Amino acid sequence: MRVGVLTGGGDCPGLNAVIRAVGRRVMTRGGEVVGVLEGWKGLVDGLFEPLGPREISGLLPRGGTIIGTTRTNPFKLEGGVEKVLASFERAGLDALVAIGGEDTLGVASRLFEEREFPVVGVPKTIDNDLSATDYTFGFDTAVWIATEAIDRLHTTAESHNRVMVVEVMGRQTGWIAVMSGIAGGADVILIPEQPISIDDACDDIRRRHERGKDFSIVVVSEGYELEGASDAEDVDQFGHARLSERGVGAALAREIERRTGYETRVTVLGHVQRGGSPTPRDRVLATRYGLKAADLVGDRIVDVPLKDATAELKRVPEEWYAVAKAFFG
Ligand code: F6P
C-alpha cells in the first residue's frame, strides 16, 4: 500500500504529528508513505517526496508542516482535476490522506464524490469552524497562545489605565476569541456570530470603569462585522478574502477611544497564533486523527449526578492505550 499525505490551507500546530502518526501506522503494516508537497498543488504539479522512518522522526512537537502547504484549488485550475488524477496514478499511490480545513477537505470531498478518488480527510484548523467535529487540532494551541497574550496585556493595561483591544484570528467564526476571552477574563468579546454594537461594547467598558476598574480588555475576532470595515479585494482560490486586511482591531480601538475618551491600544496577534509547537492536547488529538481519521470523540461538558461521577474509578481504556502502543519500540 502506497499512501500519499498532503497538508492544505493555512498551517497549524499538529500537522506534523498527524504525518508522523499516519507514517508510523502505514509503515508498521508494511506500507509506504509519500509526502505530496505544498497541498493540492503537489498533485497538480507532481511534487512528491518519500517519507521514511527518518523523515517522520522528531515530528511530534514540531510546528508547521514538513511537506509544505498552499491554498491551491485544482477545481479552479485549467485541467487541474485531470492533473491531480494523472499524477496520483503516476506516483503509484493507492490512497491519499488529505489534512486540511473546509477548503482542502471540500476538494477531497468533490474528488471522492465526482471521481471516486480514494481519499481520507483529517480535519485541521486553528479556527475550529468545522461543524462535524467538536475540536480540530491547532485550535487548542491558538487559544493557549491568545490566552497568554491576554494575560500579558492585562498587566500592562492595568499599569496604564488603558483599554486594550486584542484582535485574534478565526475567519467567520469567533471560537478563538470566545475561548481565549473566557480563559483570559476579557471584559468584552466581539465575534461575528453575536454582532453586538460598538455602542454596547462601549457601554460595558464605561460601566466597568464606573465601578472603579480603570482598565479593560476587549477581544475581537478578525471576522467581526465592524461598521465601515470592508473586505480586501484580493481573494484566494477558494474565494476567501484576507480578513486581517480589514484592520478590525485598529478601527475598533480608535472608535472605543473616540466614544469613551479612555486611552486605547490595539494588539493584532496574527500568525503567532499558528506558529510553534502544539500543546499536548493538540499533539494527542493529531496523533489520534493520524492513526484513525474516522473516529471522532466528543468531549462536551455535560451535567451528571455526583453519584454517577464518583461511582467508579475511570481507568485508561484499551483504545487509548492502543494509541500510545502504536509508537512503542
Ligand atoms: O484559517 C486559518 C487562518 O489562520 C485564519 O484564522 C486566517 O483568517 C487565515 O488563516 C489567514 O490566512 P493567511 O495565512 O493566508 O494569511
Side-chain angles (χ1 to χ4, degrees):
M1 184 91 175
R2 245 166 100 78
V3 179
V5 185
L6 75 73
T7 50
D11 70 338
C12 84
L15 288 170
N16 285 325
V18 181
I19 296 169
R20 167 182 177 264
V22 170
R24 280 297 286 258
R25 180 54 51 95
V26 171
M27 285 177 218
T28 304
R29 292 182 178 154
E32 288 171 78
V33 182
V34 177
V36 177
L37 307 183
E38 299 173 30
W40 292 111
K41 182 175 190 291
L43 273 178
V44 173
D45 296 342
L47 311 171
F48 300 105
E49 198 171 277
L51 295 177
R54 188 191 295 260
E55 285 74 23
I56 63 162
S57 156
L59 292 187
L60 193 54
R62 195 158 144 192
T65 162
I66 59 159
I67 50 179
T69 181
T70 57
R71 296 192 194 277
T72 303
N73 182 352
F75 285 94
K76 282 284 150 82
L77 302 175
E78 184 77 31
V81 171
E82 299 311 322
K83 286 182 186 161
V84 166
L85 301 177
S87 48
F88 183 80
E89 194 71 30
R90 254 198 320 274
L93 296 172
D94 299 300
L96 180 76
V97 175
I99 313 167
E102 51 163 341
D103 297 333
T104 305
L105 298 186
V107 170
S109 165
R110 275 189 75 180
L111 286 172
F112 175 74
E113 294 289 333
E114 296 171 18
R115 312 302 289 259
E116 292 180 4
F117 189 70
V119 59
V120 171
V122 174
K124 73 85 217 179
T125 165
I126 62 163
D127 303 331
N128 200 38
D129 59 354
L130 288 175
S131 61
T133 66
D134 288 337
Y135 293 104
T136 46
F137 65 86
F139 174 61
D140 187 58
T141 309
V143 169
W144 192 89
I145 292 166
T147 303
E148 210 217 350
I150 294 169
D151 288 348
R152 288 177 188 274
L153 289 167
H154 253 109
T155 63
T156 168
E158 192 168 13
S159 307
H160 286 267
N161 295 344
R162 281 173 174 159
V163 177
M164 288 289 186
V165 173
V166 192
E167 180 187 311
V168 298
M169 284 183 165
R171 276 230 164 106
Q172 266 79 25
T173 65
W175 287 106
I176 298 177
V178 97
M179 293 301 184
S180 63
I182 293 170
D187 304 299
V188 182
I189 302 171
L190 296 157
I191 61 171
E193 296 92 329
Q194 301 285 334
I196 65 164
S197 67
I198 303 184
D199 269 343
D200 289 343
C202 289
D203 283 347
D204 284 334
I205 295 167
R206 273 192 216 96
R207 257 197 307 280
R208 185 178 144 77
H209 285 229
E210 278 157 20
R211 283 203 323 270
K213 295 279 193 180
D214 295 328
F215 71 96
S216 292
I217 302 286
V218 178
V219 177
V220 62
S221 183
E222 61 177 1
Y224 171 72
E225 282 301 329
L226 190 74
E227 299 130 44
S230 54
D231 285 349
E233 304 267 299
D234 270 1
V235 291
D236 65 21
Q237 289 181 4
F238 293 93
H240 297 299
R242 226 182 306 151
L243 294 181
S244 57
E245 301 282 289
R246 303 162 75 222
V248 162
L252 179 65
R254 274 196 305 275
E255 272 309 300
I256 291 175
E257 183 164 297
R258 193 177 69 77
R259 294 183 195 203
T260 64
Y262 303 136
E263 193 179 23
T264 307
R265 294 285 191 272
V266 62
T267 300
V268 180
L269 291 185
H271 292 82
V272 145
Q273 293 159 98
R274 268 179 23 199
S277 199
T279 57
R281 185 190 168 98
D282 277 341
R283 294 180 198 192
V284 172
L285 188 57
T287 298
R288 291 172 62 214
Y289 276 136
L291 290 179
K292 195 174 178 185
D295 283 341
L296 293 170
V297 176
D299 63 352
R300 253 179 287 148
I301 296 178
V302 294
D303 296 335
V304 293
L306 278 172
K307 190 162 58 64
D308 294 353
T310 53
E312 58 179 316
L313 196 64
K314 190 175 79 178
R315 296 174 183 279
V316 176
E318 185 63 35
E319 79 226 44
W320 272 91
Y321 197 62
V323 171
K325 241 163 75 179
F327 299 91
F328 289 179

